[in-house]
Amino acid sequence: MVPVHAACVLMSLAPLLVLGVPPIWTQPEQVHLSYPGEPGSMVVTWTTLNKTESVVEYGLMGGRLFDMSAKGDATLFVDSGEEKRKMYIHRVTLTGLKPAATYVYHCGSDEGWSDMFFFTALNDSASFSPRFALYGDLGNENPQSLARLQKETQLGMYDVILHIGDFAYDMHEDNARIGDEFMRQIQSIAAYVPYMTCPGNHESTYNFSNYRNRFSMPGQTESLWYSWNLGSAHIISLSTEVYFYLEYGLELVFKQYEWLKKDLEEANKPENRAVRPWIITMGHRPMYCSDDDQDDCTTFDSLVRLGLNFTKPPAPGLEDLFYHQGVDVALWAHEHTYERLWPVYGDKVCNGSKAQPYVNPKAPVHIITGSAGCREKTDVFNPNPKEWSALRSTDYGYTRMQVVNATHLYLEQVSDDQYGKVIDSIWVVKEKHGFSSWF
């Protein structure tokens, strides 16, 4: 028989004994899709906290479930916070998918499978009219637009999501647990349609390590900059943050610029621009904005727009490059507002005509959509905007875009504050594209 005092000691240690046995984390979570840029393919990415195999089982909807499988790899990500938490990021590329066919899938291993999800393989035809939801600055706390986006995605309203920087607020916090929970929150969107991203300033901690490790964008730049084609559009994602975090390497400004210049020159070859006439860019910090917060875009000499004149050699900005390469639409976030600009170049309005400013515009069209919802709430506008500011809203919300065909592109803004009401819409109409279209 155990003495009473010994039993008391054992009972007092019981919580410690229980806490001393960590759980096994082999169950897949944080499932999300991305398009690797190759027709007939899709990347499935997910996380486990213990190492497992990386397998996706999938099949055509209406057919035999899971009659196909693909294997991939897991990479160890060690967060740089105090706890040095470890997680395994799994990536599996599915190939040979039939355009516009719907597939059912789950991911994991014999140690645990995810829920069952579905996606529609992207149509690789240039005549496809893809539908996008786009936004930036969506957080774990106060993600006001999230529920509406989750429902609309599952209703099949979107082919692709564009998240234009600033995730979770912030992914590295609480030893990256905020990042984990945010990725769980967006799973009900991102497990169904490709979730395409670019980095923002809130990803900068530990040299953007949470962003670079968690996402799986095309190319070999750890998702910092890349391009891809869909429908009649060539879409470019870039990092505006290279202009602001020079401690991570001034060479990144030049490396990205040279890549961007080559990519745009390739997209502008007559045989390429004939097939993909629309060139659309997405980057976090805008060149222009009329918010009252002293951000870079509120100044005439915006670093993103004009570059860095204090470095040796000076680092070029993006506006001249975009203009001379005939970029049609530039999508931005960062400001926690929605702002539509008139076509603008060199701080001057370049409308197509007074009556139809977006029909054959004489400069790129800029859209700022950073009001999806985060703990920093929405921003305040300057009461005296410049002439290039066409419409502004401080409502929480997000933007929808459809690249309809070679000449017509549609944009509209959804207000979550007004229960999904469309509060702004425009058609951008271009009979020709490229630098010569400005004249």
Side-chain angles (χ1 to χ4, degrees):
M1 189 172 183
V2 180
V4 173
H5 73 277
C8 291
V9 169
L10 285 171
M11 289 177 67
S12 68
L13 289 173
L16 296 176
L17 293 171
V18 171
L19 290 172
V21 181
I24 301 299
W25 296 92
T26 56
Q27 187 62 28
E29 59 176 57
Q30 307 173 40
V31 181
H32 53 111
L33 301 174
S34 57
Y35 179 57
E38 293 296 323
S41 63
M42 194 73 76
V43 175
V44 185
T45 306
W46 70 94
T47 299
T48 59
L49 299 189
N50 287 103
K51 190 173 184 179
T52 70
E53 288 192 329
S54 308
V55 182
V56 174
E57 296 182 335
Y58 63 107
L60 283 164
M61 182 173 278
R64 185 180 173 187
L65 284 178
F66 310 142
D67 64 340
M68 294 177 277
S69 69
K71 290 188 175 183
D73 298 301
T75 56
L76 174 64
F77 169 46
V78 182
D79 176 63
S80 297
E82 285 184 12
E83 294 180 21
K84 300 294 185 285
R85 285 181 68 235
K86 297 179 179 179
M87 61 190 78
Y88 291 87
I89 311 295
H90 302 258
R91 292 177 175 88
V92 174
T93 301
L94 309 183
T95 59
L97 303 173
K98 297 178 181 178
T102 299
Y103 291 84
V104 178
Y105 76 99
H106 67 183
C107 59
S109 69
D110 286 340
E111 295 182 72
W113 294 100
S114 71
D115 289 340
M116 190 165 64
F117 304 105
F118 59 87
F119 68 85
T120 299
L122 292 178
N123 189 332
D124 59 359
S125 168
S127 61
F128 176 46
S129 301
R131 303 157 303 160
F132 302 81
L134 44 125
Y135 50 84
D137 305 79
L138 179 68
N140 160 247
E141 179 185 338
N142 188 36
Q144 183 161 327
S145 301
L146 181 63
R148 193 174 304 280
L149 285 162
Q150 290 167 331
K151 183 174 181 177
E152 290 181 350
T153 299
Q154 293 175 21
L155 284 170
M157 290 177 61
Y158 307 117
D159 300 298
V160 178
I161 305 295
L162 304 180
H163 189 142
I164 311 173
D166 279 8
F167 306 78
Y169 282 72
D170 291 342
M171 287 197 286
H172 73 277
E173 290 186 9
D174 193 13
N175 293 280
R177 290 185 181 89
I178 297 297
D180 287 344
E181 181 55 27
F182 178 78
M183 297 304 290
R184 294 184 196 108
Q185 286 173 285
I186 65 166
Q187 176 178 277
S188 49
I189 298 172
Y192 297 94
V193 295
Y195 200 89
M196 308 301 283
T197 64
C198 70
N201 55 297
H202 278 267
E203 285 70 72
S204 64
T205 302
Y206 312 134
N207 193 7
F208 298 85
S209 63
N210 268 270
Y211 174 83
R212 292 188 289 111
N213 281 277
R214 291 180 186 271
F215 292 104
S216 309
M217 298 299 116
Q220 305 298 318
T221 64
E222 296 182 300
S223 305
L224 295 177
W225 56 80
Y226 59 92
S227 66
W228 53 296
N229 298 319
L230 191 62
S232 55
H234 180 67
I235 303 168
I236 300 171
S237 175
L238 56 97
S239 173
T240 56
E241 303 317 295
V242 296
Y243 289 93
F244 298 90
Y245 295 97
L246 301 183
E247 64 268 30
Y248 298 137
L250 175 62
E251 70 274 8
L252 291 176
V253 181
F254 295 97
K255 190 175 180 181
Q256 176 178 252
Y257 187 87
E258 287 307 311
W259 171 86
L260 186 55
K261 185 171 181 287
K262 288 179 181 176
D263 186 86
L264 284 165
E265 288 171 350
E266 181 69 21
N268 270 293
K269 288 181 177 177
E271 64 271 24
N272 293 331
R273 196 99 199 221
V275 178
R276 317 277 184 190
W278 293 98
I279 295 181
I280 300 167
T281 64
M282 57 184 265
H284 184 59
R285 301 197 205 205
M287 295 184 193
Y288 300 93
C289 69
S290 64
D291 293 72
D292 196 15
D293 56 11
Q294 312 310 308
D295 279 350
D296 179 64
C297 53
T298 66
T299 65
F300 175 77
D301 53 352
S302 155
L303 303 184
V304 175
R305 186 167 82 87
L306 299 180
L308 310 175
N309 61 11
F310 51 84
T311 61
K312 292 184 178 180
L318 299 178
E319 185 174 46
D320 281 348
L321 180 63
F322 283 13
Y323 182 75
H324 290 294
Q325 297 293 337
V327 169
D328 298 295
V329 177
L331 305 172
W332 313 96
H334 189 59
E335 305 305 314
H336 299 173
T337 49
Y338 167 73
E339 186 165 14
R340 167 169 57 82
L341 276 60
W342 300 120
V344 60
Y345 172 66
D347 209 41
K348 292 182 173 59
V349 174
C350 302
N351 288 347
S353 68
K354 189 172 183 179
Q356 297 180 303
Y358 299 104
V359 175
N360 298 317
K362 306 306 180 189
V365 175
H366 295 249
I367 300 289
I368 302 165
T369 176
S371 58
C374 66
R375 68 186 181 196
E376 294 182 0
K377 309 297 191 293
T378 53
D379 289 338
V380 176
F381 281 119
N382 184 319
N384 301 301
K386 289 193 173 183
E387 289 182 356
W388 38 252
S389 181
L391 187 138
R392 311 188 297 177
S393 173
T394 57
D395 285 6
Y396 286 106
Y398 50 93
T399 307
R400 296 181 185 134
M401 177 176 73
Q402 184 171 15
V403 183
V404 178
N405 55 35
T407 57
H408 287 66
L409 182 148
Y410 178 71
L411 288 152
E412 67 181 21
Q413 180 67 9
V414 177
S415 167
D416 193 78
D417 287 348
Q418 298 184 51
Y419 310 103
K421 179 182 177 182
V422 174
I423 58 171
D424 185 37
S425 64
I426 60 166
W427 283 93
V428 182
V429 180
K430 299 198 71 169
E431 294 168 11
K432 64 177 183 175
H433 297 262
F435 179 63
S436 63
S437 71
W438 306 142
F439 305 100

